[in-house]
Every structure is written in C-alpha cells, then in structure tokens.
Amino acid sequence: MDLYLIRHGEPDYTTDSLTTFGHEQANRLAAALKSLKVDEAYKSPMGRAQQTALYSEKKWKMNALTVDWIRELSWGDAQGNIASPLSPWVKAAKIIRQEEVFPEGENWKTHPLFKDDKVVDEVEKRSVALDNFLEAHGYMRKGQYYFAHSPNKKQIVLFCHAGLILTILSHMMNIPFLQVIAHTQIDPTSVTKIHLPAISGTNSPVLSYMNNTAHLK
C-alpha cells in the first residue's frame, strides 16, 4: 500500500484559504498527478486543504472523503490559559539557538517548552487515529512495526497539513516528533510517499520520497 501525503497550497491563514499562487500550485499538482491510479482519497476539513484537493478531484473524477483526524495540529496552553504564540517549529528552533541538549526520544513531551502545550496530546491522538486508519486498511501496529493482515497495493492520498504529515512520519518511522520538525521541511503542495509492503506478516514502512515539489519547477 502506498500513502501519498500532500500538503495544501500556499495559504492565507487569516481566511483558511489558498492565495492566488496557492491555487496555481494546486492546479499544477493536479496536472502532475493526473495519471496516478488512486484507490481512495481523503481531505482535511480545513479550507486550504479542501481547495487544494478540488483540483485533483476534478482530474481524477472522484470526490475525496473529508475526515477530521487529518486536520492541522493545534498548539497552545493545554490548561486553557493564554495560548502560547509559539508553534512547535519555533519552539524547536529556540532549543537549537540556545544550544541546549536536544531532548531524546519522547522526552520532548516533558521539556519546559512543551510539557503544558496541547500539541503533545494532539500528536498522541493523531498517532492513534493513524493506526486505526491503517488497521482498517490491512496493517495493524505491532510495536515499532506493522503487521499486514490484509496486505494490498492500494494507492491512498491524504490532502492535509505540514504538522499532520510530520506526525505521520514521526509515528510510522519511529522518529521522535521534535526531531522530525527540527530537521525536515514540508512545502506547499509537496508530495511525500510512504510504502507499506504488500507482504503478509510483519513489515516496516519505507519512506519512498519526501517533500517532492517537482511539479512546481
């Protein structure tokens, strides 16, 4: 099974929509993916992802299903106090600029910058939702791997967001979330592909490519 993780086009966050250039990006993406044999497509309920998906839906002559678990991550104070204006990316950069010892493994969740941030709960919940999705499609989480009880060669597309894509990469590749956001980049309309072998039994996901924006060149 192949998962294609697509970030929305250039956004206008104030209106949760695409900019003029974002629409152009989405159109060029759709042209590049026209021949992709898509079995299933899903899209975030957020406007910028919905608008991005529309161009590809027209090319494929199919409607992507809107699912809530692939919306963008939320962050801010977990106790409902004044929300931190700092995104996870800014916090990771702050740790690096201060030349702190970077938190290892899951220790980032208890770091002073993150321990009261609701993004910790968000990452955990989306990881559970991802595993439920994959199990429904034939691949059950088993420790650090996936057990293929119904292996298949489906091609599935998710139109979503940078934070969600990095959460998926972190969970499936067993790389701490903070490490992923500190060392990788997901550009507008980029395509990231994860392959799950169509072989019964225990498998390890393979990152085929990441942040592919060849359609914009």
Side-chain angles (χ1 to χ4, degrees), residues 62 67 151:
M62 69 180 296
V67 290

Side-chain angles (χ1 to χ4, degrees), residues 42-56:
Y42 300 86
K43 56 188 176 183
S44 157
M46 303 183 87
R48 53 194 185 271
Q50 294 269 323
Q51 291 180 357
T52 301
L54 183 61
Y55 291 88
S56 292

Side-chain angles (χ1 to χ4, degrees), residues 69 122-134 171:
W69 74 270
E122 280 279 284
V123 169
E124 292 175 349
K125 287 182 176 178
R126 303 307 180 85
S127 297
V128 171
L130 168 64
D131 282 344
N132 290 338
F133 177 84
L134 292 175
H171 188 63

Side-chain angles (χ1 to χ4, degrees), residues 5-19:
L5 311 176
I6 299 175
R7 186 188 174 192
H8 56 77
E10 182 183 78
D12 178 344
Y13 288 117
T14 61
T15 59
D16 186 23
S17 61
L18 297 182
T19 63

Side-chain angles (χ1 to χ4, degrees), residues 149-165:
H149 56 81
S150 300
N152 61 81
K153 295 183 178 181
K154 285 186 177 181
Q155 299 201 98
I156 299 175
V157 177
L158 306 183
F159 291 95
C160 49
H161 309 266
L164 190 281
I165 292 171

Side-chain angles (χ1 to χ4, degrees), residues 92-114:
K94 187 174 182 179
I95 293 172
I96 293 169
R97 286 196 303 271
Q98 293 174 344
E99 297 185 3
E100 291 184 41
V101 175
F102 216 66
E104 295 183 357
E106 296 301 290
N107 289 339
W108 71 274
K109 296 178 180 179
T110 57
H111 186 280
L113 285 175
F114 286 95

Side-chain angles (χ1 to χ4, degrees), residues 41-98:
Y42 300 86
K43 56 188 176 183
S44 157
M46 303 183 87
R48 53 194 185 271
Q50 294 269 323
Q51 291 180 357
T52 301
L54 183 61
Y55 291 88
S56 292
E57 289 174 313
K58 290 179 179 178
K59 294 288 186 182
W60 297 331
K61 294 180 172 58
M62 69 180 296
N63 294 321
L65 180 66
T66 298
V67 290
D68 192 67
W69 74 270
I70 63 173
R71 67 168 52 244
E72 182 58 297
L73 303 180
S74 296
W75 54 81
D77 189 87
Q79 305 305 317
N81 300 319
I82 296 175
S84 168
L86 302 181
S87 72
W89 292 269
V90 174
K91 290 185 176 184
K94 187 174 182 179
I95 293 172
I96 293 169
R97 286 196 303 271
Q98 293 174 344

